[in-house]
Amino acid sequence: MSERVINFGAGPSALPESVLNEAAAALLNFNGTGIGIAEISHRSKEFSAFLVETEGLIRTQLDIPSTHSILFTQGGGSAQFSAVVLNLLARYRLLHPDQDDAVMDYVLTGSFSKKAVEEAQRLGGARVNVAADARAQSEDGKSFNNVPSQYSFSPDPALIYYCENETVNGVQFSDDVSSPTSFPFHLLPQNALVPLVGDYSSSFMSRPITRLTDHAVIFAGAQKNIGPAGVTILIVRKDCLVDVDAAAKLGAAPVPCTMSYKTLADSGSMYNTPSVLAIYISGLVLRRSAQLGGVQYYQETNTKKAAKVYAAVAEGEARGVFRGKVKEGHRSLMNIVFDVVGDEAKFVSGAEAAGIKGIKGHRSVGGIRISLYNAVTEEQTDTLVAYMKSFT
């Protein structure tokens, strides 16, 4: 087998080698059963116990209270663009059976929140209000390079969606609530159960979730920081586990059983066969995370890694070889984006010759994207930084 390279890909992304080795052994024999993890029944006592353990690892490391359920499902973040609309419109219908003027608020900060807006508009059932559009604050009026500073939330929305970290555009809300680039929790409607939806697909388990208990739904595809593609993790406040069939009788859109949060919760995430292998590898990653110190450990190390790469970008800007894309103070710790002023293909090919892969920007925006997910080490980051400094 050829030597492994350094993987800065945006997802599916790098996983810890120790986890890969353990998972490889379990492909032949999971937990002493004599059956591989990709073959074993999801209803076996061994896997059922592992699923409970994995849920507990998430709950403990993120300090999730009993007011919220943890669910495992499929379809990635894109499926949740639909599911959050259907479930929270059902909730709204049950709360307001005689109202036909529901509105959904969206904060638009990049490619994935744009996809979420488009899916909400496609599904219909309520008016979509773009409560903030970051493009309005960019120099050209069309770039996603900042966190908005002006918001217009509705007084009683069915949901309020935001994407905490934009994987494509490299924009992230600050976790310091006193920062002007933090999410504006203080502007939300002042009722006890705000229907706030946080898309954490590319930052989940990389640092604590700011004001987690204020969220109605948090969702994340696993394939960035905690596992392979195939499983999506949800944190759902229990008042959002609603009877979607009862809501449909009142006029809400029918919700497929596999997308109903209540169905998922009532079945222990086993209404249908879950992504057994993806959950297993995610559980191994979460075990390792707990041993290292959890999200607090990763917040510290990810901050160090990002500081090194941003310093290298700034040094390259001074030399005239790089150009940053995101305003300072609005930049992601997870996905660092910049342009190569000269020969981008030369930069990419030189990196690959040095054993560095996965750095090309998303096809929709081009440029370079360095994804510093949890499994990327400081030593690997230093190798990248040395290459960046040597590039001419």
Side-chain angles (χ1 to χ4, degrees):
M1 184 174 65
S2 61
E3 186 177 348
R4 286 175 61 80
V5 300
I6 303 174
N7 179 11
F8 289 102
S13 53
L15 289 167
E17 285 196 35
S18 61
V19 166
L20 293 174
N21 287 325
E22 189 172 358
L27 282 171
L28 291 174
N29 187 348
F30 166 60
N31 201 25
T33 60
I35 302 174
I37 184 61
E39 308 166 289
I40 199 164
S41 168
H42 61 292
R43 299 195 185 279
S44 66
K45 66 179 187 299
E46 292 86 1
F47 180 74
S48 296
F50 189 88
L51 183 64
V52 171
E53 178 192 354
T54 301
E55 177 183 333
L57 287 165
I58 297 170
R59 188 175 294 278
T60 299
Q61 292 180 59
L62 288 178
D63 194 22
I64 301 171
S66 59
T67 52
H68 289 64
S69 296
I70 298 172
L71 310 175
F72 300 89
T73 188
Q74 300 162 19
S78 294
Q80 291 309 306
F81 295 157
S82 308
V84 294
V85 169
L86 296 172
N87 281 273
L88 292 186
L89 283 181
R91 173 183 180 269
Y92 189 85
R93 173 61 68 178
L94 291 170
L95 291 173
H96 307 283
D98 300 321
Q99 292 187 22
D100 293 317
D101 57 350
V103 61
M104 301 179 288
D105 285 356
Y106 281 77
V107 175
L108 189 51
T109 51
S111 296
F112 280 101
S113 53
K114 184 172 181 288
K115 284 184 68 175
V117 168
E118 290 168 350
E119 180 66 357
Q121 292 170 332
R122 190 186 72 83
L123 289 174
R127 179 172 63 87
V128 174
N129 170 50
V130 176
D133 188 336
R135 293 173 295 188
Q137 296 172 207
S138 64
E139 289 77 4
D140 60 8
K142 60 182 182 180
S143 297
F144 289 116
N145 65 358
N146 65 91
V147 168
S149 60
Q150 297 180 340
Y151 299 83
S152 57
F153 293 116
S154 304
D156 184 26
L159 67 89
I160 304 166
Y161 166 95
Y162 76 103
C163 182
E164 192 267 350
N165 180 75
E166 289 281 2
T167 320
V168 172
N169 306 92
V171 175
Q172 186 171 31
F173 286 95
S174 171
D175 61 347
D176 178 1
V177 293
S178 66
S179 168
T181 59
S182 66
F183 185 80
F185 293 95
H186 63 289
L187 296 179
L188 297 179
Q190 297 301 303
N191 49 46
L193 296 174
V194 175
L196 181 62
V197 176
D199 179 348
Y200 274 72
S201 287
S202 53
S203 60
F204 192 65
M205 302 304 296
S206 71
R207 65 184 189 182
I209 294 178
T210 304
R211 293 180 64 165
L212 183 149
T213 57
D214 289 340
H215 291 76
V217 180
I218 292 167
F219 66 85
Q223 69 274 13
K224 311 292 185 178
N225 282 304
I226 61 171
V231 62
T232 307
I233 298 168
L234 307 175
I235 302 170
V236 182
R237 200 174 60 213
K238 290 181 178 178
D239 67 282
C240 298
L241 305 174
V242 300
D243 185 337
V244 296
D245 292 334
K249 292 177 181 178
L250 295 173
V255 181
C257 289
T258 54
M259 283 191 168
S260 164
Y261 294 157
K262 187 176 188 299
T263 298
L264 284 170
D266 289 348
S267 63
S269 297
M270 289 194 187
Y271 175 77
N272 61 333
T273 307
S275 300
V276 174
L277 179 59
I279 290 171
Y280 174 67
I281 297 176
S282 298
L284 296 183
V285 171
L286 290 161
R287 277 182 184 172
R288 179 177 179 271
S289 173
Q291 293 165 358
L292 291 171
V295 290
Q296 289 77 16
Y297 166 82
Y298 281 118
Q299 180 177 38
E300 180 180 342
T301 56
N302 289 331
T303 300
K304 290 178 182 177
K305 292 184 300 186
K308 291 179 179 182
V309 178
Y310 279 120
V313 173
E315 190 267 346
E317 286 181 314
R319 292 190 291 116
V321 296
F322 301 144
R323 181 173 54 246
K325 289 187 172 184
V326 180
K327 294 179 180 179
E328 188 171 356
H330 303 245
R331 297 169 178 167
S332 170
L333 295 180
M334 295 280 94
N335 310 102
I336 298 176
V337 297
F338 59 94
D339 288 324
V340 177
V341 175
D343 190 341
E344 181 181 300
K346 177 185 173 184
F347 181 79
V348 173
S349 63
E352 291 188 351
I356 298 167
K357 291 191 176 183
I359 65 171
K360 290 187 69 172
H362 191 270
R363 61 188 180 277
S364 64
V365 296
I368 302 298
R369 173 172 54 175
I370 309 298
S371 296
L372 298 174
Y373 297 131
N374 288 353
V376 174
T377 66
E378 281 195 70
E379 291 76 18
Q380 291 171 330
T381 304
D382 290 340
T383 299
L384 170 72
V385 167
Y387 171 69
M388 292 172 66
K389 290 182 176 180
S390 70
F391 181 76
T392 58

